[in-house]
Amino acid sequence: AGMSSFVFEFLCGMYDQRVFVCSRPRAALLALAEFDPALSKQWAGLLTADNNMLAHMTRDLFDSHLFAEEPLTQANVTETIVAGCRRKLFLDRQTALEALKRGWTFRNIDLTLQLAAMPSSVMCALVRGKVAVSAGDLTEVVNWDVGPSALNEQVSSFMKQLIETGLDERGRLRLLRWCTGLNALPIDGLRQPITLLPLQVDQAEADSYLPVVHTCTYVVELPTYSSYEVLRERLLRAMDEMDAGGGCEIE
């Protein structure tokens, strides 16, 4: 999701030097994979095909502006694939990419030299944030304070157990989104930690309540659930209802 790595290579003017290099076709295919995974996989298979397998294809299928209707062969397949990637990623979208670049220009100053010093992966991380959130990442952005106004210590331990062992990578990202409204973890962390507070309900009925989240302030209110299993089930239910567009109380 978000801006692809090729966009950043374009913004820094390094796309021909780092992406579309005939000696490194897989760099071009890797960039294409973010735009069209199926096509990238199909073209990657051609790199190891013999002439008999390539005989039914012609080079104009990859870039009709650059190539005539001539046979695809082992001798020209690498150059052809790289040119096809360039057509798909750059030439067919050049107008839109140029407009985007103008939006990145700061007070008419060309930032190409500054951006070129950074790998596209770093620029992606700065803009996208971390979309692969580890248990440690999530644990670090939660305030585990056990002071007088904080969450019951046992429920806090249930929550920590959920983060550390009860969720896969997708589940941790969903929990981050549920707590904060963010689709990724900013590269420099959250502006403030996620705070866990007790939800004031009748203790005898606590297990029947869903948690409440205030995404503007990153505050999560949790009932004093009776067990880890109950907390996990209630939180997963709350995240499911978030995905469905309603259900738990989100501010």
Side-chain angles (χ1 to χ4, degrees):
M3 295 172 70
S4 70
S5 58
F6 173 74
V7 170
F8 293 104
E9 297 289 13
F10 172 78
L11 290 172
C12 69
M14 297 297 293
Y15 51 94
D16 278 327
Q17 292 89 340
R18 298 199 294 215
V19 180
F20 305 128
V21 183
C22 286
S23 61
R24 294 188 292 111
R26 297 201 180 274
L29 288 167
L30 187 63
L32 182 65
E34 295 186 59
F35 177 71
D36 190 332
L39 185 61
S40 175
K41 184 177 180 180
Q42 178 186 340
W43 285 2
L46 298 176
L47 291 173
T48 55
D50 59 29
N51 282 329
N52 289 332
M53 295 178 65
L54 299 175
H56 68 286
M57 304 185 72
T58 53
R59 302 183 77 188
D60 60 302
L61 295 174
F62 297 80
D63 188 340
S64 60
H65 297 80
L66 185 61
F67 301 120
E69 191 175 338
E70 57 185 285
L72 188 65
T73 67
Q74 287 181 313
N76 63 32
V77 66
T78 297
E79 176 193 11
T80 306
I81 287 174
V82 171
C85 291
R86 193 174 192 275
R87 167 61 58 186
K88 293 287 186 182
L89 291 170
F90 172 53
L91 296 174
D92 287 350
R93 303 190 296 164
Q94 188 169 2
T95 300
L97 288 167
E98 293 289 357
L100 178 64
K101 187 172 184 178
R102 287 193 294 273
W104 276 66
T105 302
F106 179 71
R107 295 180 181 176
N108 295 320
I109 299 174
D110 187 352
L111 299 177
T112 298
L113 289 178
Q114 292 87 340
L115 293 174
M118 292 188 287
S120 60
S121 58
V122 172
M123 289 189 280
C124 281
L126 289 171
V127 174
R128 290 179 181 170
K130 296 181 69 173
V131 293
V133 179
S134 70
D137 291 332
L138 204 48
T139 300
E140 287 180 2
V141 297
V142 176
N143 179 7
W144 300 103
D145 182 19
V146 291
S149 63
L151 188 65
N152 174 283
E153 188 171 356
Q154 178 173 275
V155 179
S156 180
S157 70
F158 294 158
M159 188 68 169
K160 186 173 290 188
Q161 181 182 350
L162 176 71
I163 292 173
E164 292 177 347
T165 64
L167 298 171
D168 58 14
E169 186 176 287
R170 178 177 177 273
R172 291 190 293 270
L173 190 60
R174 289 179 73 214
L175 181 59
L176 175 72
R177 179 173 173 244
W178 182 78
C179 292
T180 66
L182 300 174
N183 290 318
L185 183 64
I187 198 69
D188 57 349
L190 298 178
R191 67 175 186 272
Q192 62 190 56
I194 297 168
T195 301
L196 307 178
L197 295 175
L199 183 64
Q200 302 302 323
V201 297
D202 185 341
Q203 179 57 38
E205 299 178 355
D207 286 355
S208 65
Y209 282 84
L210 288 179
V212 174
V213 63
H214 309 272
T215 54
C216 290
T217 53
Y218 302 169
V219 170
V220 175
E221 295 182 79
L222 292 165
T224 307
Y225 292 124
S226 61
S227 68
Y228 165 75
E229 290 72 22
V230 172
L231 177 139
R232 186 176 188 276
E233 188 278 329
R234 297 279 83 190
L235 262 173
L236 290 177
R237 169 75 181 278
M239 289 190 286
D240 286 343
E241 296 197 356
M242 168 194 68
D243 291 341
C248 63
E249 197 174 319
I250 300 179
E251 296 182 357

